[in-house]
Every structure is written in C-alpha cells, then in structure tokens.
Amino acid sequence: MIHSFGSQPGWGAHLADELERIVALHDASTIAAVIVEPVAGSTGVLIPPQGYLQKLREICTKHGILLIFDEVIMAFGRVGKATASEYFGVTPDLITMAKAINNAAIPMGAVAASRTVHDTIVNAGAQGAIELFHGYTYSAHPAAVAAAIATLALYRSEGLFERAASLAPTFEAAAHSLRGTKHVKDIRNLGMIAGIELESREGAPGARAYEAFVKCFEAGVLVRFTGDILAFSPPLIINEEQIAHIFKTVGDVLATVQ
Ligand SMILES: Cc1ncc(COP(=O)(O)O)c(C=O)c1O
C-alpha cells in the first residue's frame, strides 16, 4: 500500500508534465537522458505519485530520451521486488545499482542496460570493435563480484524479497503508529522504507531530526536523517519484534526532543 502526499488520481501525470515543459523549452535533441530515483531516498523518502513514473516513461519514449532509474537504494528487495522498476511495472533504459547488490560487504556498483542500448552501442562500430565495457581500475573486482554472487544466492535461498513484501504491512503499521506523535508532520512508506517528517525547529532546519538521531543512537537504534526527515531502511532480515522496537524507541525519543 502506498502512502504518499500525491496519491490523488492524475497528480502523477500532472507532475510528469513538468518534464514536457522542460523538453519543450530545451528541445528533446539536447537531452540525453532523464534520471530519477523511483522512490527518492536521501531526499526524504518521497514516494512517487500514482502514474508519475509511467508518464515519465511515456514522455521519454515519445521524445527518444533515455530513462535512467537510480536504484542504488531501492534495488534488491527494498520494496519487496528485485527492483522498484519491477514493483511499479515501469521499465527504464538503464538501472544503476549498488549497496544491496552485495550487502555492501565490498564497494561495488553496477549498471543494467536494455538490449536496445547495448546493441546500439555495440553495433555502432565494426564487428567486435566496440564493447559495452568500462575499463575502471576495479571493474568486476573478483572479491566484490564474489560477495555479490553470494548475496544474490542468499536473497533467493532465504526468500528475502518475499520476506520484505510480507513484512511491509507490519512495517507500515508500526511507522504509522507514530501519527499524532509530538513534532510529527508526515509519515511515508513503501515496502521496507519509511520516512517520518518532523516539523522543523524555528530558524534551525535539520536540528530537530539530528537531536532525534543522536537520542535514538544512544538508545540503541540507528536511524538516518535527511533534513528534518527520519529515514528507515532496515535490513531485510529484520523481524516483527525489532520493527516494533525501532518505532517504539523513536516515539519515546520524540517525546523528549525539544
Ligand atoms: C540514491 C543514491 N544514488 C547514488 C548514490 C551514490 O552511490 P555510490 O556511492 O555507489 O556511487 C547513493 C549513495 O548513497 C544513493 O543513495
């Protein structure tokens, strides 16, 4: 279930029309790609309004602009599917990934390209002359790749994407139990990610969430904060008691925050 500020029908398409305006202003021929986080994580857990990503896809396809999803946070089970792209049923041309690709055990990032993007590049030169290859010093580092292969095997054998999907309602209920708590302005969630937006302290944006972050840490719960939004993105092995513990701690802390 999606909780979003923009869940009214039509709002997502309306927001995506902003892209049409920009394309009209600059001309599609000057725009190589549109890059979005399908669920914006570090800007405060912003769930896309219904229809928004679909409309972006339509606009990009219409104008021959590549659509790139930054799934560094979302990929590998965060929303109960392999990717947010799969969850929303919107297929971009490129997907960037990192973090959960190998449980962040060793630094690693990856880009998935559509067959069309791949073939367009590879077929641009004589047979075998061009590869879709990036010669970074640490490209395909064996230790990082081994960690990725092991992590992907665990996702499958432990059914962790399905686990995330089945825990999502518990996680949602726990996050929303803080509705009406002191300082809480908005609560947003999808899958195993949630954001609790606090009223900002007069003249000191971010200070209230920082205080909450420090107090949660002292109480043994690590949350993330971005501006005045507390962000939650727990490991997919979390259990129901731990979910309850996290949000109980946050509620207790918010009661003591100035
Ligand atoms: C959504 C998102 N995109 C990109 C990045 C940067 O990824 P990397 O550090 O793997 O380059 C981050 C890092 O936290 C991120 O959260």
Side-chain angles (χ1 to χ4, degrees):
M1 185 177 173
I2 299 176
H3 286 266
S4 153
F5 63 92
S7 50
Q8 306 94 318
W11 170 246
H14 177 67
L15 195 62
D17 280 341
E18 258 309 283
L19 177 59
E20 279 285 18
R21 193 186 62 76
I22 293 167
V23 172
L25 191 64
H26 296 280
D27 194 85
S29 64
T30 69
I31 303 172
V34 168
I35 181 163
V36 288
E37 259 193 283
V39 179
S42 49
T43 45
V45 188
L46 305 176
I47 316 293
Q50 285 174 24
Y52 174 67
L53 298 170
Q54 286 81 356
K55 190 72 193 292
L56 284 189
R57 176 69 280 179
E58 280 169 31
I59 295 170
C60 287
T61 302
K62 184 171 82 178
H63 295 290
I65 297 169
L66 294 178
L67 179 63
I68 306 174
F69 277 0
D70 174 346
E71 296 230 24
V72 166
I73 295 178
M74 295 303 144
F76 304 104
R78 180 58 44 201
V79 290
K81 296 282 184 191
T83 57
S85 159
E86 185 186 345
Y87 178 89
F88 288 107
V90 177
T91 307
D93 301 289
L94 296 153
I95 295 180
T96 60
M97 305 162 258
K99 302 192 194 302
I101 192 170
N102 64 3
N103 198 30
I106 297 182
M108 184 176 183
V111 180
S114 69
R115 174 59 56 192
T116 308
V117 168
H118 174 273
D119 290 353
T120 303
I121 293 170
V122 171
N123 295 337
Q127 187 71 27
I130 300 179
E131 280 184 17
L132 190 65
F133 179 78
H134 285 57
Y136 295 124
T137 306
Y138 299 112
S139 285
H141 191 282
V145 174
I149 291 169
T151 302
L152 297 183
L154 279 174
Y155 286 145
R156 187 185 295 265
S157 66
E158 298 192 7
L160 290 180
F161 299 174
E162 296 76 14
R163 181 186 170 87
S166 68
L167 276 174
T170 305
F171 187 68
E172 173 173 285
H176 283 266
S177 71
L178 294 181
R179 190 179 305 203
T181 301
K182 192 174 152 200
H183 305 308
V184 171
K185 184 175 170 186
D186 192 26
I187 301 174
R188 304 182 279 270
N189 72 286
L190 183 66
M192 293 301 284
I193 189 164
I196 297 183
E197 183 162 352
L198 307 179
E199 298 281 359
S200 291
R201 200 175 282 161
E202 183 76 27
R208 182 164 281 148
Y210 178 72
E211 186 186 331
F213 156 74
V214 170
K215 288 185 166 169
C216 283
F217 186 76
E218 286 166 356
V221 169
L222 179 61
V223 302
R224 169 114 193 248
F225 70 99
T226 167
D228 268 307
I229 298 146
L230 301 178
F232 305 82
S233 182
L236 305 183
I237 55 166
I238 195 168
N239 63 32
E240 299 201 348
E241 296 84 81
Q242 290 163 335
I243 291 172
H245 177 69
I246 288 173
F247 291 103
K248 162 91 171 58
T249 305
V250 172
D252 291 347
V253 159
L254 288 178
T256 72
V257 162
Q258 293 302 302

